[in-house]
Amino acid sequence: MQEPYLLTAHELQAKIGKDEISPSKILESLFKRIGDLDKRIKAFVRLNEECILKIPENKKGKLYGIPVLVKDNICVKDEETTCGSKILKGFKPPYDATVIKRLKDEGAIPIGKANMDEFAFGSSCETSCYGPTKNPWDLERIPGGSSGGSAAAIASDETILALGSDTGGSIRQPASLCGVVGLKPTYGRVSRYGLIAFASSLDQIGPITKDVQDAALMMNTIAGYDEMDSTSVDIAVPDYTRSLTKDIKGLRIGVPKEYFIEGIDKEVESSVKKAVFLLKDLGATIVEISLPHTQYAVSTYYIVAPAEASSNLARFDGVQYGFRFENASDLIDMYIKTRSKGFGNEAKRRILLGTYCLSTGYYDAYYLKAQKVRTKIKEDFDNAFKNCDCIITPTSPTAAFKIGEKMDDPLSMYLSDIFTISANLAGIPAISIPCGFTKGNLPIGLQILAKPFDEETLFRAAYTFEQSTGFHRENPKL
Amino acid sequence: MNTTYETVIGLEVHLQLRTETKVFCGCSTKFGSRPNSQTCPVCLGFPGSLPVLNEKAFLYSIKAALALNCAIQSLVKFDRKNYYYPDLPKNFQISQYDMPLSYNGSLEITSGGDRKRVRIKRIHLEEDAGKLTHPAKASYSLVDFNRAGMPLLEIVTEPDISSPQEAYDYLTALKAILQYLRISDCDMEKGSLRCDANASIRKSGEKKLGVKVEVKNMNSFRWVREALQYEADRQVSLLEAKENIIQETRLWDAGKMATISMRSKEEAQDYRYFPEPDLVPFMVEKTIIEEIRKALPELPEARTNRFVKDYSLSEYDAKILTSQIDLADYFEECAKQYENKKTIANWITCDIMAQMNIKNSGIIELGVLSKNLIGLLEMIDSQEISGKTAKDVLIEMIETKKNAYEIVESKGLLQISDRERIDQIIKNVLSKNGKSVNDYKNGKKNAMTFLVGQVMRQTQGKANPSIVNEILKKHLAE
């Protein structure tokens, strides 16, 4: 029999239903896998082996017995949640995030916390206070970020399902670089309650999974209005598994001319172009579209996101929880030393950037201007979707880069999110699925974007492509 | 000193709204509970928590705005005010900056016999902070977050107030209105109403405003008046001495009866306001505003006029009775049960209010039910007790919560008005005091006083004095 850790959630679901396997067998298989591999991958910052003692007795729920790895910025009651930062060391939330509550209610089992860039500030998982996670396809390379731990654990079969969060590409880019599926839902589709905020107007929680069907399954559980999150939207959640039809006849797919630019890796470009031809062969109509404000997305993002972050991260001051510098001479000294020693460099860089952008005299020139450009970017998509049902782009301009390669060059690091950031600014849903490999056997990802609250079209297109290619079945040699 | 100066004052009132729960979470707003017992992840600003607006707090704010003749903003939006302080759990306060809930209002007051219109610049809704205490000689401070997240209305005037007395009169009128709306306790001692002032002076007739000084820490209307008088005098003497007034914040020290410098403008903080991304802006429906407007209660001034007209009270009495809504309600309850309104007014404004002052309590806490006060008045009317006894009975009623009849009965205070019984007693007294009777008949009129005294002694003072006088005179004339 195949090792349970190799299976997907929907495969395990079927086996559990037929009593061919028990949740504890799945967990044991995973724990062994994690024990064998994670010393090298370092996807986990905390493994909760005690979860095997708390398997729900009644075999109920849409995800009964399915293990889920949780990104370290999503609150799980009484389990240390640190956002990959020293400043939150020891913080055990007194409550479950809404997504965790919903997963638990459906019988899913949170098995631990995944490594991430500190406070999700990064595209490589290197800014974590626990050190970098390695890409399972090449241990000298980064897994992408910030949800690098979640994506690497899925790619190395160290978990069945994983949760990530995406503020500018933090689900999709690591999914792409690790050769797995990652979905950023529409802003407001999934409750943010319990997600430790990076940039509140951009953050969304989403699934990182082995295939598209698992992503749909997970969305069926985590999506939907939450009265605890005023930004979640009260729109009925469809059964996403109904969109897994292998039929895209008549689907109009837009290809933005601004996305195939200089700087994009040749192998990535040709792989994505091949994907476009395949989709055409499968019955889709390809239309060229224009997203004219694309070039301003990265700079807009790097004003809006740090501005919100500078305020969101103000609460980490040593007063109530987490790390506190103990020998401070007075209050101000405690604030300064706690934050100086608690935050890493990238966090400090973004707090400074955001504080500056919001300061009197600079607000209009930076924050206000950025909000106006953001509206323009959103209008670009509104216009584009008049002529197409979804849009296809590369997820990342390159495959996984080497650990350390971009750490001293933040600008080039920021550019690795160039194709993903716009979806966050516009609030639209986007998915990354595997679409090929480089000559060096590194995964390449394809991004599909759709209208707000039209995740169904994403699932339909992604599933059709996945089932016709099978890239998702490739595994790294570990 | 030849120059005369005028004082220019603007007031900022902070009002805690009397909602059941806090403004952005479900915690209780009860006053005086054990520190930090009314807190949750939201009002503690825990990572991952999100605010949800309390609809009642919003509706109460609209109510206040309409009663103060304000325009209502059609789009409601919140902002973050960023600053570090240990009583502020998130290190930002959710407030309203460039688009206050309401603006351009006014309040007509009477001050020193003159009518005056004070313009209200803006009213906005925000969250309260926690409370710090600094134990004597301790090397630490304590923080109580029960108050954090209480709904707070900020009511700001234009600089229209031109004397400390006018400030006092404005606050009194404002408090009466706010109490009438039943949206707040308006209790300065509990901190549910707080006031800061901006004061400047200028030469009489000058148009340009002088340098303004902000005065804080005044916890009664009287202290506001004293502090503003001190501040005006201080500023005049500075100008007279050809010294500069510094723009600064000063604290009122009630012990020293002086204002003391706290911080200058140079130290003023940059609050880096920006729109609160966790709360979605929403449109205020016109129908809701109109509904609230229609449901507004009769306000103090209208009620005063009605009391004068309907109950033929003096304007003075009517004003006193309507200055507190509970008192006015109490009067009207009594008025329904008793014909002579002037008598009710006298009893409330004299005896009852004297007891309220002594006990420092409101009419409701005093515990004299309207029917019991009327019961007392009826006993006077039926000559069962004298007016003088009634005053003692009222005090007893407050102490024991019993009604007048029970007290009169149990203490044997019932006045003897039975003419036959009094006649018997008088005959008895006369038969024993032949000398005094003779003295009276010989022209010693003060013998009458002695004889009345004897009757009273026989009855332990309970005989109705006017009946005693009448019958005694009749017998002596025989």
Side-chain angles (χ1 to χ4, degrees), chain A residues 8-27:
Chain A
T8 62
H10 57 89
E11 286 163 349
L12 287 168
Q13 236 177 3
K15 285 184 182 293
I16 293 170
K18 285 185 270 179
D19 278 328
E20 288 174 15
I21 195 166
S22 68
S24 55
K25 280 277 175 288
I26 302 171
L27 288 175

Side-chain angles (χ1 to χ4, degrees), chain A residues 94-95 192-196 200 227-231 311-312 314-315 317 320-321 331 335 339 355 358-360 363, chain B residues 41-42 44-52 80 82 84-86 89-92 270 272-275 277-278 280:
Chain A
Y95 67 101
R192 293 186 294 116
Y193 191 79
L195 168 67
I196 299 181
S200 314
E227 58 176 20
M228 299 295 278
D229 176 3
S230 307
T231 63
S311 173
N312 283 330
R315 72 192 70 196
D317 58 2
Q320 284 195 78
Y321 43 74
L331 177 68
Y335 283 158
R339 290 170 67 81
T355 305
L358 290 176
S359 299
T360 305
Y363 180 87
Chain B
V42 177
L44 290 176
F46 263 45
S49 67
L50 295 170
V52 177
R80 288 188 185 176
N82 294 284
Y84 282 83
Y85 209 63
K90 304 183 291 292
N91 284 326
F92 64 78
D270 180 353
R272 289 175 283 115
Y273 282 100
F274 76 104
D278 288 329
V280 183

Side-chain angles (χ1 to χ4, degrees), chain B residues 129-266:
Chain B
K131 208 171 178 177
L132 281 181
T133 44
H134 311 283
K137 289 180 191 160
S139 61
Y140 55 85
S141 297
L142 297 170
V143 61
D144 175 9
F145 288 118
N146 283 351
R147 201 178 71 176
M150 296 270 253
L152 207 57
L153 212 55
E154 184 175 309
I155 304 169
V156 185
T157 72
E158 294 286 357
D160 285 356
I161 298 166
S162 41
S163 73
Q165 180 59 40
E166 228 173 79
Y168 183 92
D169 293 331
Y170 162 82
L171 289 171
T172 309
L174 180 69
K175 180 176 165 180
I177 290 179
L178 296 170
Q179 278 183 331
Y180 267 60
L181 300 175
R182 300 208 180 274
I183 57 171
S184 172
D185 297 337
C186 299
D187 188 337
M188 283 192 99
E189 278 174 31
K190 290 183 187 168
S192 58
L193 193 153
R194 312 195 277 270
C195 178
D196 300 334
N198 282 301
S200 63
I201 55 161
R202 63 183 169 195
K203 286 183 184 153
S204 297
E206 205 162 283
K207 285 271 179 289
K208 213 176 136 236
L209 288 168
V211 176
K212 82 174 172 193
V213 170
E214 189 183 13
V215 189
K216 287 178 175 283
N217 197 38
M218 303 162 291
N219 45 23
S220 73
F221 291 173
R222 196 161 71 87
W223 288 146
V224 172
R225 188 171 55 196
E226 297 294 329
L228 286 171
Q229 192 56 57
Y230 175 89
E231 197 45 38
D233 293 345
R234 186 186 72 87
Q235 292 183 20
V236 168
S237 19
L238 280 174
L239 287 195
E240 290 290 309
K242 306 259 181 272
E243 285 179 46
N244 286 330
I245 295 165
I246 305 164
Q247 185 171 343
E248 62 181 345
T249 300
R250 298 176 71 86
L251 291 184
W252 170 247
D253 185 329
K256 296 194 177 111
M257 292 288 281
T259 65
I260 289 149
S261 180
M262 185 172 105
R263 59 168 180 251
S264 73
K265 194 198 172 192
E266 284 71 44

Side-chain angles (χ1 to χ4, degrees), chain A residues 121-182:
Chain A
F121 299 150
S123 311
S124 69
C125 235
E126 291 166 289
T127 67
S128 166
C129 73
Y130 304 102
T133 296
K134 315 289 168 56
N135 190 316
W137 293 89
D138 178 346
L139 298 182
E140 289 181 4
R141 291 177 188 268
I142 56 99
S146 64
S147 312
S150 301
I154 290 287
S156 59
D157 294 308
E158 290 182 79
T159 182
I160 306 302
L161 296 173
L163 279 178
S165 71
D166 191 315
T167 307
S170 280
I171 287 176
R172 292 160 286 158
Q173 186 257 17
S176 167
L177 270 43
C178 291
V180 299
V181 173

